Amino acid sequence: LKRHSKFAKLTQEHVTFFQDLLGVESAVIDGLSKDASEDIEAFNSDWMRKYRGHSQLVVKPGSTEEVSKILKYCNDNLLAVVPQGGNTGLVGGSVPVFDEIVINMQRMNKIRSFDEVSGILVADAGVILEVADNFLADKSHIFPLDLGAKGSCQIGGNVATNAGGLRLLRYGSLHGNVLGIEAVLPDGTIVDDLSTLRKNNTGYDIKQLFIGGEGTIGIITAISIVCPQRSPAVNVAYFGLESFEQVQNAFREAKNQLSEILSAFELMDGRSQRLVKTVTGKKRPLEGDHPFYCLVETSGSNTDHDSEKLQTFLESVMEKEIVSDGVLAQDQTQLQDLWSWREGISECLGHWGGVYKYDLSIPIADLYTLVNDTRDRLTKAGLVGEDDSYPVVDVLGYGHMGDANLHLNVPVRRYDKEVEKQLEPFVYEWVQKRSGSISAEHGLGIAKKSFIGYSRSPTMVALMKQIKNLYDPNGIMNPYKYI
Ligand code: FAD
């Protein structure tokens, strides 16, 4: 990959323009000056510390007008940019590849309005997901998306990646929940489509291009989103199972018996749970070791009714020998502890140094076969082992069972070309053969840039390129990434 020579190189004159425009000293981190070169590091490297760019400038706009002026100036001067939210993305999309200017959205963090009757929230893109959800909790509502990075990721970043998360099963995708978007195009045009209507069939639904667009056609500055009523009763069960066949049976039973109160059904293999135990040293929720674990959450309006339903479900699946052992959270602390065995996996995976991550949609019957096939392949190649001479620590899988979304993960002691060669394109070919998707919810970023063809036909890729060229003819928006 080479830096495009058409892009201008940052000069002191450019920096001065941004400093004058934004006024606030902390809104510009100027890497050209020696003092700031350390501060800029965090914006140049991603959450996994796998991708690292060399930007010399971070700008933090405080309003939509400022975003517009920044982009117009960059477009006129052929300065490439990368939009950045909470920088928790897992495909290297949020950091520069070369010297692109980072446009970080953290200062645009205001809730604009909330309608308690319709449940519609309008907020700036830079609001942290957890902050939005806590605001909604006070109003007995819930953000229709939840994920492990909620304390850092931003709702604009969530929309830009079309994040799926832990409750998609219940509340559906952001393509349905986001009602409106305010965005800025590279030429500075402000696209005001911040509709708060649930129904609006008036021509093309252009906002959908920004949802999951990964910052390649414009910057989202605000969203409006419909938020469900918060369920007063939330219950969680965690159980161990002996085979993936039984996991599928348990999922069917859960849909059947828990129906309208089922809000999450998550899968964790035994290896992922052992790994969390090794890293955190916490006491495991169940005795013994099972090849698979599931976490089931229900959300409803009546605690007694719901916990009785979940209790009956658990008894029934144990009686039918679908589930070997299980536990129901007795209080809030235990509920959070059970969730931490699922949500904590991502963080623990990095413990040994690095991790190869694959976020895949696979027809459910075959979902876990890929983990076994990948482990066999790496083992045969002599790359997996317990001591430091082996690069691979383990090969494991977990994910959103309810959405047939597998996270295949290979924690490693060091990033290694030989491991990469064994994994790619093997994983993508495997998924393509089963008509799955090489990116279920994380996007393509730079990590999957070369692999889009495994999930999209040449016609679809050509249509995407047409849209990219139409909105961003100079190609300044998040260049070198998937499109
Ligand atoms: P960033 O990482 O900053 O950016 C992501 C992409 O969006 C980049 O391409 C960036 O250029 C673009 N972007 C950011 N903000 C804007 C904007 N305002 N306008 C235009 N483009 C923008 N994802 C899931 O889907 N489900 C999960 O369950 C899940 N769990 C996770 C757990 C952990 C511990 C971590 C670290 C990540 C997880 N993710 C998950 C990844 C997920 O994509 C991100 O956490 C989140 O959606 C990205 O938000 P962000 O604000 O951090 O965006």
Side-chain angles (χ1 to χ4, degrees):
L1 203 59
K2 271 171 72 183
R3 184 185 182 281
H4 287 323
S5 54
K6 70 171 177 185
F7 293 134
K9 292 217 165 138
L10 187 76
T11 63
Q12 193 54 52
E13 190 191 329
H14 300 137
V15 175
T16 308
F17 170 84
F18 293 115
Q19 280 164 339
D20 291 347
L21 173 70
L22 298 179
V24 191
E25 201 181 315
S26 60
V28 177
I29 306 179
D30 163 21
L32 290 182
S33 86
K34 270 222 165 60
D35 311 345
S37 40
E38 242 171 60
D39 303 345
I40 218 159
E41 201 42 46
F43 301 87
N44 264 324
S45 58
D46 76 321
W47 189 84
M48 298 178 290
R49 285 190 216 96
K50 193 169 184 181
Y51 302 97
R52 190 158 164 262
H54 306 281
S55 181
Q56 292 195 297
L57 185 69
V58 179
V59 291
K60 301 179 188 173
S63 69
T64 305
E65 287 66 33
E66 285 179 358
V67 175
S68 165
K69 285 179 184 150
I70 291 169
L71 281 184
K72 185 172 180 346
Y73 181 83
C74 290
N75 199 42
D76 291 346
N77 289 281
L78 284 179
L79 289 160
V81 304
V82 50
Q84 188 174 75
N87 199 10
T88 68
L90 298 175
V91 289
S94 53
V95 288
V97 177
F98 296 101
D99 55 352
E100 302 89 273
I101 294 174
V102 177
I103 304 185
N104 183 291
M105 298 300 286
Q106 64 180 232
R107 283 182 64 230
M108 288 196 62
N109 59 3
K110 304 221 168 30
I111 305 267
R112 297 195 188 176
S113 67
F114 179 67
D115 183 319
E116 301 209 18
V117 179
S118 63
I120 295 167
L121 173 81
V122 181
D124 285 355
V127 173
I128 304 266
L129 175 59
E130 194 167 47
V131 172
D133 193 53
N134 287 342
F135 169 87
L136 289 162
D138 286 344
K139 319 256 179 212
S140 307
H141 281 70
I142 184 171
F143 201 88
L145 166 80
D146 187 22
L147 46 82
K150 59 179 161 267
S152 318
C153 65
Q154 300 175 2
I155 58 174
N158 298 145
V159 172
T161 54
N162 185 27
L166 303 164
R167 298 205 175 100
L168 188 132
L169 172 70
R170 172 71 163 269
Y171 301 120
S173 126
L174 291 174
H175 278 297
N177 293 316
V178 171
L179 304 180
I181 268 183
E182 181 191 81
V184 181
L185 300 182
D187 68 1
T189 305
I190 296 174
V191 181
D192 180 1
D193 186 26
L194 211 46
S195 163
T196 53
L197 306 171
R198 291 203 72 169
K199 293 184 163 181
N200 187 8
N201 284 355
T202 47
Y204 297 138
D205 190 1
I206 290 180
K207 69 169 182 295
Q208 299 296 351
L209 297 175
F210 293 88
I211 305 175
E214 299 183 56
T216 55
I217 54 171
I219 296 194
I220 301 167
T221 49
I223 63 160
S224 80
I225 183 162
V226 60
C227 303
Q229 196 75 29
R230 201 172 197 94
S231 303
V234 177
N235 289 290
V236 167
Y238 176 97
F239 45 80
L241 312 95
E242 299 316 304
S243 69
F244 188 66
E245 193 68 40
Q246 299 296 31
V247 171
Q248 294 179 70
N249 291 334
F251 181 45
R252 282 173 65 178
E253 289 290 334
K255 284 197 289 184
N256 186 19
Q257 295 188 36
L258 303 170
S259 54
E260 81 288 352
I261 60 168
L262 181 64
S263 55
F265 194 106
E266 296 287 307
L267 165 75
M268 297 83 74
D269 67 1
R271 289 166 187 269
S272 72
Q273 298 302 272
R274 252 177 272 149
L275 184 136
V276 174
K277 163 83 190 153
T278 308
V279 177
T280 64
K282 287 196 302 192
K283 185 176 175 316
R284 292 181 70 162
L286 298 175
E287 301 277 319
D289 216 1
H290 304 276
F292 294 96
Y293 293 85
C294 289
L295 184 148
V296 177
E297 185 195 74
T298 62
S299 309
S301 54
N302 184 320
T303 313
D304 293 344
H305 164 267
D306 291 4
S307 48
E308 197 184 308
K309 239 178 149 171
L310 193 55
Q311 182 76 44
T312 312
F313 163 75
L314 197 56
E315 277 162 18
S316 126
V317 286
M318 285 182 75
E319 219 161 80
K320 291 181 187 163
E321 294 182 358
I322 294 174
V323 158
S324 317
D325 196 6
V327 58
L328 276 180
Q330 299 303 324
D331 53 35
Q332 197 58 29
T333 314
Q334 206 183 355
L335 185 147
Q336 273 162 4
D337 180 64
L338 292 181
W339 261 120
S340 75
W341 286 88
R342 165 63 184 87
E343 287 190 292
I345 303 172
S346 282
E347 195 115 35
C348 293
L349 279 164
H351 179 76
W352 285 267
V355 53
Y356 292 99
K357 294 181 94 66
Y358 299 92
D359 156 48
L360 312 154
S361 275
I362 299 171
I364 208 149
D366 278 340
L367 189 88
Y368 197 76
T369 314
L370 175 62
V371 183
N372 290 331
D373 288 0
T374 309
R375 189 182 310 118
D376 288 351
R377 187 178 165 85
L378 291 174
T379 308
K380 250 190 223 137
L383 296 166
V384 192
E386 287 190 358
D387 67 71
D388 286 356
S389 62
Y390 297 94
V392 176
V393 178
D394 206 349
V395 178
L396 53 90
Y398 60 97
H400 311 295
M401 177 76 186
D403 318 321
N405 176 188
L406 174 78
H407 294 325
L408 165 70
N409 279 257
V410 182
V412 289
R413 298 184 174 91
R414 54 196 169 269
Y415 291 116
D416 182 292
K417 281 271 169 279
E418 195 47 44
V419 176
E420 258 156 61
K421 266 205 333 235
Q422 292 294 331
L423 286 170
E424 296 171 14
F426 167 76
V427 170
Y428 298 125
E429 283 171 355
W430 197 102
V431 169
Q432 184 184 37
K433 263 189 224 139
R434 283 145 187 99
S435 306
S437 168
I438 63 153
S439 173
E441 58 172 11
H442 292 165
L444 296 164
I446 189 144
K448 296 177 187 170
K449 175 190 166 79
S450 336
F451 304 109
I452 186 169
Y454 287 93
S455 285
R456 296 286 196 189
S457 69
T459 310
M460 295 302 292
V461 175
L463 286 171
M464 288 189 205
K465 285 197 169 137
Q466 279 181 21
I467 288 168
K468 167 76 175 170
N469 290 339
L470 182 70
Y471 284 79
D472 181 23
N474 289 338
I476 64 157
M477 295 296 308
N478 219 353
Y480 318 109
K481 305 288 164 59
Y482 74 93
I483 193 107

